[in-house]
Amino acid sequence: MTSDHSADAASHPEVAKPLDFIRQIVEADRAAGKHAGRVHTRFPPEPNGYLHIGHAKSICLNFGIARDYNGKCNLRFDDTNPETEETEYVEAIKEDVRWLGFQWDGEVKFASDIFPTLYEYAIRLIKAGKAYVCDLTAEETGAYRGKWNEPGRNSPYRDRSVEENLDLFERMKNGEFKNGEKTLRAKIDMASPNMNLRDPAMYRIRHAAHHRTGNKWCIYPTYDWTHGQNDSVEGITHSICTLEFEQHRPLYDWCIENLGIHHPQQIEFARLNLTHTVMSKRRLLELVRGGLVDGWDDPRMPTICGLRRRGYTPESLRNFCARIGVTKANSLTDLGVLEQEVREHLNAVAPRVMAVLRPIKVVLENYPAGQVELREAVNNPEDPAAGVRQIPFGRELYIDAEDFMEHPPKGYFRLFPGNEVRLRYGYFIKCHEVVKNEAGEVTELRCTYDPESSGGQAPDGRKVKGTIHWVAANGAIDAEVRMYDVLLTRENPGDTPEGADWKADLNPHSLEVLRGCKLESSLADARPGDRFQFERTGYFCVDSKDSQPGQLVFNRTVTLKDSWAKEKKKA
Ligand code: ATP
Ligand code: MG
């Protein structure tokens, strides 16, 4: 182990030993003096959508390694594709990385920053006889490429002279050809068992404006021709990517060796997959464009901004990433693991309040009309420093419809006619009469309270089995509360049958809106983004988009217990 491990661990104490296999490689490289002991990583998103929880895994890994080894981590946008990239995404991605608690080294970088360098490198390969301009159409190129079990055929343009290639490539750049008319290809091996080495495209002609370079270029480098060189130019030491790039590594190595430039080491790890969750940006975009969710930051989305709006904390996401670790084996992580992390963090930090989501009115017949007293309530039993607050108590209260049954089954300990329960931080109350409307719905419960039970016990030692929460009608705040469930009913969206529409698995009950919820008066000043535990109900966060002073909207972040685990046990 190195002695300077976790220089800044105090701000992210969640990084734990034993070391994952990537940190083991980094430590071995440092011990061997590779890259003069330097550690420089990068997080390279394509700005074609918002970041999701899978990206958080990559962010925690890359920035975490840089932090742990006194290294640097770049934020680099892979903006090689002019058509799909937007500045809106760039800004959102920067915000999400910062919110997760990380700061990139120096200025934000863009692949487009090195377009001139890549052009020079391409000329270098042409001059070395290692790249050529090809006139095959996309379709023909596909046919010449062969199959995985059958070699490809050389393009008829493969043996053009260096001079001709230089001339054509320059004319490609100058805009003399139409889209798709020519490509620049690396001259490697059309018989290679690795398809990525069968003369891959380096440049395509695309007469399209780019979000940063405008109309300066009409040829754009491919991802494969950009990525490795970009890592090299930035002096990256450990180029960490997901498993699907393993087969691209020989190509990146070929480019770097033939150019004779700094050679970062590529290391692949398994992507994060979560139950009941789709993560590809293409699919998330489909949900947004189709109006199936309320934008990228819909609290049901697995995006970082969606999770933030839902009430997730940066700590809980980092803890989650630390908990799942990094491996080389693809797997499916239970959504419950993510939920457990936010539950644990909010249990430690979220103030407790009382909120009644499905109110029934209770009238305490023996409590003086017009009288209000203040009851002391603990803000957070996990955190004595959080102190106490005073909440009003009076003749009229609300309790949750779930805490009352007119005809209870055996073993029901909450309120029913003739039964006595404890009101949390209040008194014992007993129900005498159920008032209903014409439709037969319960509208009010007539009860009495025991003034002697103020301390939560009766002086005669009488026992009650149930303790329920409540909100005094006096000062109660009306709010809307949005209850969420999984977006997809299918446990493993990767199992969607061939040809089936994955959207058929969208959960029609993923959002339930409760209006007229009653919250204790201390919530009058709740601000967007504030998080609370509603006692006995769950963790909730003030919505950052739709909540207004006087018209509060809350999102349920997570239930108090793992309701999924319970379901699974039942099943
Ligand atoms: P998507 O398929 O969701 O669009 P992507 O790989 O195309 O993802 P990029 O913007 O290219 O998205 O990703 C930036 C970085 O995040 C890459 O290094 C990529 O490997 C990593 N990444 C993307 N998705 C995941 C995931 N599910 N788990 C871990 N890392 C991921
Ligand atoms: Mg991508």
Side-chain angles (χ1 to χ4, degrees), residues 328-508:
K328 274 215 174 264
N330 275 314
S331 64
L332 181 64
T333 300
D334 195 305
L335 186 57
V337 178
L338 176 63
E339 295 189 338
Q340 187 53 26
E341 287 300 337
V342 74
R343 193 178 283 126
E344 272 175 27
H345 187 229
L346 292 179
N347 179 47
V349 301
R352 275 57 170 169
V353 292
M354 293 208 280
V356 172
L357 302 190
R358 295 172 179 86
I360 315 185
K361 190 179 244 183
V362 167
V363 178
L364 303 178
E365 294 178 318
N366 61 338
Y367 196 93
Q371 179 176 314
V372 176
E373 66 182 288
L374 292 174
R375 307 291 306 175
E376 186 170 288
V378 175
N379 286 332
N380 185 348
E382 301 289 322
D383 176 13
V388 294
R389 68 189 184 287
Q390 306 296 323
I391 50 176
F393 184 90
R395 180 178 161 89
E396 295 195 352
L397 312 168
Y398 296 103
I399 65 162
D400 202 290
E402 287 186 353
D403 287 329
F404 174 80
M405 280 185 103
E406 193 176 5
H407 305 289
K410 206 167 171 299
Y412 186 84
F413 299 124
R414 290 170 273 170
L415 201 60
F416 55 87
N419 191 40
E420 190 170 44
V421 296
R422 179 188 291 109
L423 294 180
R424 184 148 168 86
Y425 302 124
Y427 299 88
F428 286 12
I429 63 166
K430 189 167 186 171
C431 178
H432 301 285
E433 189 190 338
V434 181
V435 182
K436 295 182 188 170
N437 62 16
E438 281 168 10
E441 295 156 346
V442 176
T443 53
E444 192 175 298
L445 303 174
R446 309 294 291 190
C447 301
T448 50
Y449 85 114
D450 178 356
E452 301 299 317
S453 64
S454 170
Q457 304 294 332
D460 61 3
R462 186 165 96 246
K463 293 273 181 270
V464 296
K465 283 197 168 151
T467 300
I468 66 175
H469 64 282
W470 52 276
V471 167
N474 194 323
I477 297 164
D478 275 314
E480 175 178 322
V481 176
R482 299 174 181 170
M483 311 288 269
Y484 299 104
D485 197 350
V486 292
L487 200 48
L488 292 177
T489 51
R490 185 181 295 277
E491 182 170 29
N492 183 359
D495 283 347
T496 305
E498 198 76 59
D501 182 5
W502 64 276
K503 294 194 295 304
D505 294 323
L506 281 174
N507 177 5

Side-chain angles (χ1 to χ4, degrees), residues 19-178:
L19 295 178
D20 59 67
F21 82 96
I22 300 182
R23 282 180 169 84
Q24 285 175 21
I25 294 173
V26 171
E27 292 206 351
D29 286 348
R30 276 164 48 97
K34 199 170 167 187
H35 308 295
R38 257 180 349 104
V39 173
H40 199 156
T41 56
R42 83 287 174 268
F43 172 64
E46 186 180 349
N48 61 347
Y50 283 65
L51 297 183
H52 53 61
I53 180 75
H55 292 115
K57 176 174 179 178
S58 177
I59 291 169
C60 289
L61 186 58
N62 281 293
F63 284 93
I65 285 178
R67 176 201 62 217
D68 292 351
Y69 299 102
N70 285 320
K72 296 174 176 172
C73 183
N74 292 355
L75 173 60
R76 181 208 313 148
F77 290 98
D78 249 313
D79 59 348
T80 48
N81 186 355
E83 275 117 358
T84 60
E85 285 140 11
E86 287 176 34
T87 311
E88 174 199 345
Y89 297 136
V90 170
E91 291 309 314
I93 290 170
K94 282 158 63 176
E95 184 187 351
D96 287 349
V97 172
R98 275 199 223 98
W99 180 77
L100 277 171
F102 298 104
Q103 183 56 52
W104 48 90
D105 183 60
E107 297 286 310
V108 166
K109 299 183 174 48
F110 292 87
S112 53
D113 294 340
I114 68 154
F115 281 175
T117 310
L118 287 170
Y119 184 75
E120 287 308 312
Y121 283 172
I123 288 175
R124 231 195 259 180
L125 289 191
I126 294 173
K127 285 184 175 163
K130 309 233 157 143
Y132 62 97
V133 173
C134 183
D135 296 3
L136 292 179
T137 63
E139 203 179 319
E140 289 163 344
T141 305
Y144 272 78
R145 207 160 166 245
K147 302 212 171 67
W148 66 271
N149 55 355
E150 148 197 318
R153 284 176 293 138
N154 284 352
S155 158
Y157 306 98
R158 202 173 195 259
D159 294 320
R160 277 177 162 151
S161 69
V162 168
E163 290 66 36
E164 190 183 1
N165 280 320
L166 285 174
D167 173 61
L168 287 173
F169 185 49
E170 185 171 359
R171 288 167 56 199
M172 278 169 67
K173 182 190 79 149
N174 292 344
E176 289 186 29
F177 307 111
K178 291 201 285 289

